[in-house]
Amino acid sequence: MKNVRLGIIGTGSMGAGHATYLKENKINNCVLSAICDVVKPTNEIFNNIKYYNDYKELILSGDVDAVLIATPHYAHTEIGVFALENNIHTLVEKPISVHKNDCLKLINAHKNKDVIFAAMFNQRTKPEFIKIKELISTLGNLQRVNYIITDWYRTEAYYKSGTWRATWGGEGGGILLNQCPHQLDILQWLVGMPTSILATCDFGKFHNIEVEDEVSAIMTFKNGASGIFTANTGEYPGTNRLEIIGDLGKLVYEDNKLTLSRNCVSATEFSKTTKEAWSTPTCETIKIEMPKQEFLNQHATITQNFVNAILFNEDLIAKSEEGINSVELANSMILSEIKKEKISLPINGDEYEEALNQLKDKEI
Ligand SMILES: NC(=O)c1ccc[n+]([C@@H]2O[C@H](COP(=O)([O-])OP(=O)(O)OC[C@H]3O[C@@H](n4cnc5c(N)ncnc54)[C@H](O)[C@@H]3O)[C@@H](O)[C@H]2O)c1
């Protein structure tokens, strides 16, 4: 195969974003050969691209080697399963599915490992997060992680811009399923999965919506480290700050800036061995300069990597299988709110699906 013929399924705002860099020929060895949407797009970016209104027809058409699924969340599972079962390389937008059981359905459909299956976790390409991943082992034993992600401000008009948005039946959740899959993915990518979560989720706190628009979660990790995750779409100006602390130092990412503090000795060892009551380890702090990155370049980087994986066996930046983790984190936070208790991970997918069905059925 010389060029990958890619079809975009879902031609709304993100589908159009993907089409923009594809039509600007920013992806080597890839052509946008077809699109599919249940509503024919009027956006001129899609002019002169073969259109299908049924994803099955597009997948079986012979016009595409690969698809990029950019539909509302629930449809990711059925479209992804159909694409994978028909040996079509598949790149799925975040979240890979709405709940754990659907993630497993999708992942289990990936039987033919010659078929490439990736997820659009574009934030993994941010230079600052790549640097943190490189440096994290130098922090020693993880003690604490704190992610404050409250700069996802959204208006009532945004929530009204699509009937699927901010509904249990259409979107399957709020900030945890739409905006925060990125941060939940980065969190698990950097520090792994917690073993328990205690969370509160406020449904429609800032907006006239049925799903959560504020979340506060406390996490515990296997080695005893603690974590805090705070997110909302109602405050402005918000904060986007990730702190990771180990006994050998600290990494802080805020306002697109990265700072590393290094202790000359482990804080734990120092505490045990020093004779001084008020002493602290010597610590040096440095600012790490990182190159600036355009927003759509993140997405283009993931798509190029997907194409290179198909053509040249390049390792994937974000395997779709890993997308179950951010969904499980989101599901466990919502389950903790519903049950008003601490949730142990891994969660029971059936229990969460049942709870989600009850939320869907509830009259608002
Ligand atoms: N990676 C990112 O940075 C990023 C940013 C925004 C959105 N997203 C994700 O992209 C996806 C789409 O979000 P959006 O904001 O573009 O939504 P949108 O509502 O603007 O577009 C969704 C499109 O999918 C179409 N659609 C619905 N069901 C379909 C089906 N069965 N077959 C074909 N088309 C169908 C709709 O008609 C609509 O045109 C979501 O998963 C969202 O979370 C990712």
Side-chain angles (χ1 to χ4, degrees), residues 12-14 37 70-73 76 93-94 122 164-165 182 299:
S13 47
M14 204 56 239
D37 200 297
T71 61
H73 306 155
H76 293 182
E93 264 294 354
K94 44 55 56 174
N122 46 283
W164 66 283
R165 291 197 192 282
H182 291 298
H299 304 76

Side-chain angles (χ1 to χ4, degrees), residues 9-15 18 36-39 53 55 69-73 75-76 78-79 93-95 120 122 162 164-165 177-178 182 295 299:
I9 304 178
T11 57
S13 47
M14 204 56 239
H18 293 304
C36 166
D37 200 297
V38 286
V39 181
N53 81 347
Y55 72 82
I69 304 170
T71 61
H73 306 155
H76 293 182
E78 74 173 76
I79 299 174
E93 264 294 354
K94 44 55 56 174
M120 185 50 74
N122 46 283
W164 66 283
R165 291 197 192 282
L177 270 292
N178 191 311
H182 291 298
F295 180 61
H299 304 76

Side-chain angles (χ1 to χ4, degrees), residues 209-260:
I209 56 174
E210 59 190 58
V211 293
E212 79 290 351
D213 55 5
E214 181 161 77
V215 177
S216 307
I218 301 170
M219 299 171 283
T220 308
F221 292 83
K222 198 173 172 190
N223 73 345
S226 59
I228 301 277
F229 182 83
T230 313
N232 76 51
T233 57
E235 71 182 56
Y236 191 86
T239 300
N240 183 343
R241 180 180 172 94
L242 172 64
E243 289 178 8
I244 304 174
I245 295 95
D247 59 351
L248 287 172
K250 169 165 90 164
L251 277 158
V252 178
Y253 164 77
E254 186 167 15
D255 297 331
N256 290 318
K257 292 193 186 77
L258 186 59
T259 311
L260 170 68

